Coordinates of all heavy atoms in Angstrom, one line a residue:
Q1 N -79.4 -24.1 80.7 CA -79.6 -25.2 81.7 C -78.8 -26.4 81.3 O -78.2 -27.1 82.1 CB -81.1 -25.5 81.8 CG -82.0 -24.4 82.3 CD -81.6 -23.9 83.7 OE1 -81.4 -24.6 84.6 NE2 -81.4 -22.6 83.8
R2 N -78.7 -26.7 80.0 CA -78.0 -27.8 79.5 C -76.5 -27.7 79.7 O -75.8 -28.6 80.2 CB -78.3 -28.0 78.0 CG -77.6 -29.2 77.4 CD -78.1 -29.5 76.0 NE -77.8 -28.4 75.0 CZ -78.7 -27.7 74.4 NH1 -80.0 -28.0 74.6 NH2 -78.4 -26.7 73.6
L3 N -76.0 -26.5 79.4 CA -74.5 -26.2 79.6 C -74.2 -26.3 81.1 O -73.1 -26.8 81.5 CB -74.2 -24.9 79.1 CG -74.2 -24.8 77.5 CD1 -74.1 -23.3 77.1 CD2 -73.2 -25.6 76.9
T4 N -75.1 -25.8 82.0 CA -74.8 -25.8 83.4 C -74.7 -27.3 83.9 O -73.9 -27.6 84.8 CB -75.9 -25.0 84.2 OG1 -75.9 -23.7 83.7 CG2 -75.6 -25.0 85.7
K5 N -75.6 -28.1 83.4 CA -75.6 -29.5 83.9 C -74.4 -30.3 83.4 O -73.9 -31.1 84.1 CB -76.9 -30.2 83.3 CG -78.2 -29.9 84.0 CD -79.3 -30.6 83.4 CE -80.6 -30.2 84.1 NZ -81.8 -30.9 83.5
M6 N -73.8 -29.9 82.3 CA -72.6 -30.5 81.8 C -71.4 -30.2 82.6 O -70.5 -30.9 82.8 CB -72.3 -30.1 80.3 CG -73.3 -30.6 79.3 SD -73.1 -29.9 77.7 CE -71.5 -30.5 77.2
G7 N -71.4 -28.9 83.2 CA -70.4 -28.5 84.1 C -69.1 -28.1 83.5 O -68.7 -26.9 83.6
K8 N -68.3 -29.0 82.9 CA -67.0 -28.7 82.3 C -67.0 -28.6 80.8 O -67.7 -29.4 80.2 CB -66.0 -29.8 82.8 CG -65.7 -29.8 84.3 CD -64.6 -30.8 84.7 CE -64.4 -30.8 86.2 NZ -63.3 -31.8 86.5
H9 N -66.2 -27.7 80.3 CA -66.2 -27.5 78.8 C -64.8 -27.2 78.4 O -64.1 -26.4 79.0 CB -67.1 -26.3 78.5 CG -68.5 -26.5 78.8 ND1 -69.5 -27.1 77.9 CD2 -69.2 -26.3 80.0 CE1 -70.6 -27.1 78.5 NE2 -70.5 -26.7 79.8
T10 N -64.4 -27.8 77.3 CA -63.1 -27.6 76.7 C -63.2 -26.6 75.6 O -63.9 -26.9 74.6 CB -62.5 -28.9 76.2 OG1 -62.4 -29.9 77.3 CG2 -61.1 -28.7 75.6
V11 N -62.6 -25.5 75.7 CA -62.7 -24.4 74.7 C -61.3 -24.1 74.1 O -60.3 -24.0 74.9 CB -63.3 -23.1 75.4 CG1 -63.5 -22.0 74.4 CG2 -64.6 -23.5 76.1
N12 N -61.3 -23.9 72.8 CA -60.1 -23.5 72.1 C -60.0 -22.0 72.1 O -60.7 -21.3 71.4 CB -60.1 -24.0 70.7 CG -58.8 -23.9 70.0 OD1 -58.0 -23.0 70.3 ND2 -58.5 -24.7 69.0
L13 N -59.0 -21.5 72.9 CA -58.8 -20.0 72.9 C -57.4 -19.7 72.2 O -56.4 -19.8 72.8 CB -58.7 -19.5 74.4 CG -60.0 -19.7 75.2 CD1 -59.8 -19.2 76.6 CD2 -61.2 -19.0 74.5
D14 N -57.5 -19.3 71.0 CA -56.4 -19.0 70.2 C -55.3 -20.1 70.2 O -54.2 -19.9 70.5 CB -55.7 -17.7 70.7 CG -54.8 -17.1 69.7 OD1 -54.9 -17.5 68.5 OD2 -54.0 -16.3 70.1
N15 N -55.8 -21.3 69.8 CA -55.0 -22.5 69.7 C -54.4 -23.0 71.1 O -53.5 -23.8 71.2 CB -53.8 -22.3 68.8 CG -54.3 -22.1 67.3 OD1 -55.2 -22.7 66.9 ND2 -53.6 -21.1 66.7
K16 N -55.0 -22.5 72.1 CA -54.7 -23.0 73.5 C -56.0 -23.6 74.1 O -57.0 -22.9 74.1 CB -54.2 -21.8 74.4 CG -52.9 -21.3 73.9 CD -52.4 -20.1 74.8 CE -51.1 -19.5 74.3 NZ -50.7 -18.3 75.1
I17 N -55.8 -24.8 74.5 CA -57.0 -25.5 75.1 C -57.2 -25.1 76.6 O -56.3 -25.1 77.4 CB -56.8 -27.0 75.0 CG1 -56.6 -27.5 73.6 CG2 -58.0 -27.7 75.6 CD1 -57.8 -27.1 72.7
A18 N -58.4 -24.6 76.8 CA -58.8 -24.2 78.2 C -59.9 -25.0 78.7 O -60.9 -25.2 78.0 CB -59.1 -22.7 78.2
N19 N -59.8 -25.5 79.9 CA -60.9 -26.3 80.6 C -61.7 -25.3 81.5 O -61.2 -24.9 82.5 CB -60.3 -27.4 81.4 CG -59.6 -28.5 80.5 OD1 -60.2 -28.9 79.5 ND2 -58.4 -28.9 80.8
L20 N -62.8 -25.0 81.0 CA -63.7 -24.0 81.7 C -64.8 -24.7 82.5 O -65.3 -25.8 82.1 CB -64.2 -23.0 80.7 CG -63.3 -22.3 79.8 CD1 -64.0 -21.2 79.0 CD2 -62.1 -21.7 80.6
R21 N -65.2 -24.1 83.5 CA -66.3 -24.6 84.4 C -67.5 -23.7 84.3 O -67.4 -22.5 84.4 CB -65.9 -24.7 85.8 CG -64.7 -25.6 86.1 CD -64.5 -25.9 87.6 NE -64.6 -24.7 88.4 CZ -63.6 -23.8 88.5 NH1 -62.4 -24.0 87.9 NH2 -63.7 -22.7 89.3
V22 N -68.7 -24.3 84.1 CA -69.9 -23.6 84.1 C -70.6 -23.8 85.4 O -70.8 -25.0 85.8 CB -70.9 -24.0 83.0 CG1 -72.2 -23.3 83.1 CG2 -70.3 -23.6 81.6
T23 N -70.8 -22.8 86.2 CA -71.4 -23.0 87.5 C -72.7 -22.1 87.7 O -72.8 -21.0 87.2 CB -70.4 -22.5 88.6 OG1 -70.1 -21.1 88.4 CG2 -69.1 -23.3 88.5
P24 N -73.6 -22.7 88.4 CA -74.9 -21.9 88.7 C -74.5 -20.8 89.7 O -73.6 -21.0 90.5 CB -75.8 -22.9 89.3 CG -74.9 -24.0 89.8 CD -73.7 -24.1 88.9
F25 N -75.2 -19.7 89.7 CA -74.9 -18.6 90.6 C -76.2 -17.9 91.0 O -77.2 -17.9 90.3 CB -73.9 -17.7 89.9 CG -74.5 -17.0 88.7 CD1 -75.0 -15.7 88.8 CD2 -74.5 -17.6 87.5 CE1 -75.6 -15.1 87.7 CE2 -75.0 -17.0 86.4 CZ -75.6 -15.7 86.5
T26 N -76.1 -17.4 92.2 CA -77.3 -16.6 92.7 C -76.9 -15.1 92.7 O -75.8 -14.7 93.1 CB -77.6 -17.0 94.2 OG1 -77.8 -18.4 94.2 CG2 -78.8 -16.3 94.7
L27 N -77.8 -14.3 92.2 CA -77.6 -12.9 92.1 C -77.7 -12.3 93.5 O -78.2 -12.9 94.5 CB -78.6 -12.2 91.2 CG -78.6 -12.7 89.8 CD1 -79.9 -12.2 89.0 CD2 -77.4 -12.3 89.1
E28 N -77.2 -11.0 93.6 CA -77.3 -10.3 94.9 C -78.7 -10.0 95.2 O -79.6 -10.2 94.4 CB -76.4 -9.1 94.9 CG -74.9 -9.5 94.8 CD -74.0 -8.2 94.8 OE1 -74.4 -7.2 95.3 OE2 -72.9 -8.3 94.2
M29 N -78.9 -9.4 96.3 CA -80.3 -9.0 96.8 C -81.0 -8.0 95.8 O -80.4 -7.0 95.5 CB -80.3 -8.5 98.2 CG -81.6 -8.4 98.9 SD -82.2 -10.1 99.3 CE -81.2 -10.5 100.7
G30 N -82.2 -8.3 95.5 CA -83.0 -7.4 94.6 C -84.1 -6.9 95.4 O -84.5 -7.4 96.5
I31 N -84.8 -5.8 94.9 CA -85.9 -5.2 95.6 C -87.1 -5.1 94.6 O -86.9 -4.7 93.4 CB -85.5 -3.8 96.1 CG1 -84.3 -3.8 97.0 CG2 -86.7 -3.1 96.7 CD1 -83.8 -2.5 97.4
K32 N -88.2 -5.4 95.1 CA -89.5 -5.2 94.3 C -90.5 -4.4 95.1 O -90.6 -4.6 96.3 CB -90.1 -6.6 93.9 CG -89.2 -7.4 92.9 CD -89.9 -8.8 92.7 CE -91.0 -8.7 91.7 NZ -91.5 -10.0 91.3
F33 N -91.1 -3.5 94.4 CA -92.2 -2.7 95.1 C -93.0 -2.0 94.1 O -92.7 -1.9 92.9 CB -91.5 -1.6 96.0 CG -90.6 -0.6 95.4 CD1 -91.1 0.5 94.8 CD2 -89.3 -0.9 95.3 CE1 -90.3 1.4 94.2 CE2 -88.4 0.0 94.6 CZ -89.0 1.2 94.1
E34 N -94.2 -1.6 94.5 CA -95.1 -0.8 93.7 C -95.1 0.7 94.3 O -95.2 0.8 95.5 CB -96.5 -1.3 93.8 CG -96.7 -2.6 93.0 CD -98.1 -3.1 93.0 OE1 -99.0 -2.4 93.6 OE2 -98.4 -4.2 92.5
L35 N -94.9 1.7 93.5 CA -94.9 3.0 93.9 C -96.2 3.7 93.5 O -96.5 3.8 92.3 CB -93.7 3.8 93.3 CG -93.5 5.3 93.7 CD1 -93.2 5.4 95.1 CD2 -92.4 5.9 92.8
H36 N -97.0 4.2 94.4 CA -98.3 4.8 94.1 C -98.2 6.3 94.4 O -97.8 6.7 95.5 CB -99.4 4.2 95.0 CG -99.6 2.7 94.7 ND1 -100.7 2.3 93.9 CD2 -99.0 1.6 95.0 CE1 -100.7 1.0 93.8 NE2 -99.6 0.6 94.4
V37 N -98.5 7.1 93.4 CA -98.5 8.6 93.5 C -99.8 9.1 93.3 O -100.4 8.9 92.2 CB -97.4 9.2 92.6 CG1 -97.4 10.7 92.7 CG2 -96.0 8.6 92.8
T38 N -100.4 9.9 94.2 CA -101.7 10.5 94.0 C -101.5 12.0 94.1 O -101.1 12.6 95.2 CB -102.7 10.1 95.1 OG1 -102.8 8.7 95.1 CG2 -104.1 10.7 94.9
V39 N -101.7 12.7 93.0 CA -101.6 14.2 93.0 C -102.9 14.9 93.5 O -104.0 14.6 93.0 CB -101.2 14.6 91.5 CG1 -101.1 16.2 91.5 CG2 -100.0 14.0 91.1

């Protein structure tokens, strides 16, 4: 949560400075259910 609020981050990738963005994201649709089996 802290990194997401900061947004931008400067990261050293093999002596090359990269400006990376941390963004919040929503996952795709999920499914929840209860499966009841009576033998």
Side-chain angles (χ1 to χ4, degrees):
Q1 298 301 310
R2 181 170 64 243
L3 292 171
T4 303
K5 286 180 181 178
M6 292 172 65
K8 294 181 179 180
H9 298 269
T10 302
V11 182
N12 190 336
L13 299 179
D14 197 18
N15 298 319
K16 294 178 183 177
I17 301 301
N19 293 312
L20 309 184
R21 301 188 315 277
V22 174
T23 60
F25 64 98
T26 303
L27 301 171
E28 294 179 29
M29 195 69 74
I31 301 171
K32 293 177 76 172
F33 60 87
E34 289 182 2
L35 182 65
H36 294 259
V37 181
T38 305
V39 179

